[in-house]
Amino acid sequence: MLSAPSKIQRLAGRPLRRGYHDIVTSKNPNKQPAIQYGPPGRSAISGQVATVFGCTGFLGRYLVAKLAKAGTQVVVPFRDEEEKRHLKVMGDLGQIVPMEWDLRNEQQTAECLRHSDVVYNLVGRNYETKNFDFDSVHVTGAKSIAHIAQESGVSKFIHVSHLNASLDSTSEFYRSKAQGEIEVREAFSDATIIRPAPMFGYEDRLLNNMAVWPIWWKLNHAQTKIRPVHVMDVAQALNNFVQLPVLAQTLNLPGPSTVTHEYLLDLIAAMTCRPPSRAPTVPKAIALALSKASQSIWWPTLSPDEVERRYIDDSQVQGDWDVVGVTPEDVEPYAITYLRRYRSAEHYPLPPVFPESRPVIN
């Protein structure tokens, strides 16, 4: 005779009996089958394990939060102890597993992913340093992670590149991203390569940088065309790969609209209740000279390659959002959320204000 379910079991919503559908198997030979249980959400255990390299970055923190909320156990490799502290509370007890990691240490890389079903490579550098240049991060580092993932029997490998990655680009950043895609594909033939456009969000280097340093976004007379995409949309797309089948292809994730730097500067001025910047347009030669001279300063400044990127329009390729099951959002509805902090106390409670009209760009 079966005893009545206890109050704890009823509250937890856990089934009293297990079925074959509760068993989660993995193609990874180093991982034993797991049993998923618990109600959908943060307190669930899906039986899946994911490793997110680059988890302490802008996109990484949102991806970790979405994975953990779905019940996925997340391994978070880190270099700095302070940079991973905020990730610990994103999942239930034992679901966030921090591990010290160095990109050049293959043994540590193998240890971080040997139990994982899905591996994400979000590692990247927006500017070069004396320890890590573009090639060592985007090419050599990406190839090393992909090769170790292949050797460890990982079933899904998702590599994040950039929408403008091209071997013919005038930007070394974009060239290294394109070369990294080639190396990853050779090391892990079934890898999925994601190419997001420039992302906006709370800690972005787009809207926040424009609000603080509008002069450096007036290069090219502020006519550079970009396709900004919400970081939450990209994170959701990456999170969906846990349930999607293996996709050995390259997917482009641009924003739904194409705008110019000039329009974004006007949008920021309207949202922050500030007059538009009257800063002059700096010629490219002078901007390159100033950026090279500033490289001797110890804190990050505008690098010469970033100056070059301010003159490159975003690729006008077709988006692949239908494949990942996400509908991207425009920047306008979320701009006030990320830009209200730049308002004065007098204007802080006012409703958002939008520019008169968005220019039509083909």
Side-chain angles (χ1 to χ4, degrees):
M1 180 177 179
L2 296 176
S3 59
S6 66
K7 181 179 180 181
I8 296 178
Q9 287 175 320
R10 292 197 304 271
L11 292 177
R14 298 177 180 176
L16 299 180
R17 296 179 179 178
R18 303 294 180 191
Y20 287 115
H21 63 276
D22 292 319
I23 299 177
V24 179
T25 58
S26 173
K27 294 182 181 180
N28 191 335
N30 298 316
K31 183 185 175 185
Q32 299 295 325
I35 297 178
Q36 58 182 352
Y37 65 87
R42 176 186 172 95
S43 298
I45 293 181
S46 67
Q48 301 282 351
V49 181
T51 299
V52 182
F53 293 101
C55 57
T56 58
F58 176 44
L59 173 60
R61 65 188 65 188
Y62 295 104
L63 175 57
V64 170
K66 287 185 176 292
L67 288 170
K69 187 176 180 180
T72 304
Q73 188 176 49
V74 188
V75 179
V76 290
F78 67 92
R79 286 199 302 158
D80 189 346
E81 182 73 26
E82 298 298 321
E83 291 182 350
K84 57 89 177 174
R85 294 179 63 186
H86 62 284
L87 301 176
K88 188 69 174 178
V89 297
M90 291 183 176
D92 210 343
L93 184 63
Q95 290 296 87
I96 304 296
V97 184
M99 298 187 68
E100 190 172 359
W101 173 69
D102 190 315
L103 180 61
R104 298 190 177 102
N105 191 322
E106 294 186 353
Q107 184 177 357
Q108 287 184 340
T109 301
E111 185 65 24
C112 288
L113 57 76
R114 70 188 182 95
H115 294 292
S116 297
D117 305 296
V118 187
V119 173
Y120 297 90
N121 179 29
L122 278 57
V123 180
R125 285 219 66 90
N126 201 50
Y127 54 89
E128 295 183 311
T129 64
K130 64 179 181 179
N131 295 321
F132 292 97
D133 58 14
F134 290 138
D135 284 340
S136 65
V137 177
H138 301 153
V139 182
T140 306
K143 178 182 179 180
S144 175
I145 296 173
H147 175 72
I148 295 172
Q150 179 70 49
E151 293 295 321
S152 301
V154 173
S155 56
K156 296 178 185 177
F157 184 80
I158 295 93
H159 173 73
V160 177
S161 182
H162 196 282
L163 183 68
N164 299 328
S166 172
L167 294 175
D168 300 326
S169 177
T170 56
S171 166
E172 187 177 354
F173 175 87
Y174 293 148
R175 292 198 303 271
S176 65
K177 283 288 188 180
Q179 186 61 41
E181 293 180 7
I182 297 174
E183 297 293 341
V184 166
R185 185 70 73 193
E186 291 180 355
F188 199 108
S189 59
D190 291 335
T192 302
I193 297 175
I194 303 297
R195 288 179 166 183
M199 294 174 284
F200 64 90
Y202 267 113
E203 309 88 353
D204 66 11
R205 294 175 60 89
L206 183 63
L207 299 181
N208 287 289
N209 199 289
M210 282 185 166
V212 177
W213 297 102
I215 185 173
W216 297 121
W217 293 91
K218 289 193 171 185
L219 299 175
N220 196 25
H221 300 283
Q223 295 306 305
T224 303
K225 302 173 185 177
I226 66 172
R227 307 172 71 182
V229 61
H230 198 183
V231 65
M232 297 294 285
D233 292 333
V234 179
Q236 184 61 55
L238 294 175
N239 176 58
N240 290 349
F241 277 100
V242 175
Q243 304 299 331
L244 289 174
V246 176
L247 298 174
Q249 55 183 292
T250 300
L251 303 177
N252 299 302
L253 301 183
S257 303
T258 301
V259 297
T260 62
H261 287 171
E262 182 180 33
Y263 173 77
L264 288 180
L265 289 172
D266 290 342
L267 175 66
I268 291 170
M271 289 293 177
T272 57
C273 300
R274 296 177 180 177
S277 172
R278 298 181 179 274
T281 300
V282 179
K284 185 176 181 180
I286 296 178
L288 286 171
L290 291 174
S291 63
K292 291 178 181 178
S294 66
Q295 297 307 293
S296 58
I297 303 176
W298 66 270
W299 62 82
T301 57
L302 187 69
S303 67
D305 194 79
E306 288 179 282
V307 172
E308 187 65 39
R309 276 175 263 161
R310 301 285 163 86
Y311 288 82
I312 300 176
D313 293 337
D314 278 354
S315 176
Q316 296 299 312
V317 295
Q318 185 70 26
D320 298 306
W321 291 99
D322 56 329
V323 178
V324 296
V326 177
T327 302
E329 298 282 351
D330 279 314
V331 63
E332 288 88 351
Y334 298 95
I336 186 62
T337 304
Y338 307 132
L339 295 171
R340 190 184 293 272
R341 71 184 80 174
Y342 298 105
R343 287 184 171 187
S344 64
E346 178 184 1
H347 299 113
Y348 192 86
L350 297 180
V353 180
F354 298 94
E356 294 182 0
S357 62
R358 174 194 285 178
V360 178
I361 299 177
N362 297 323

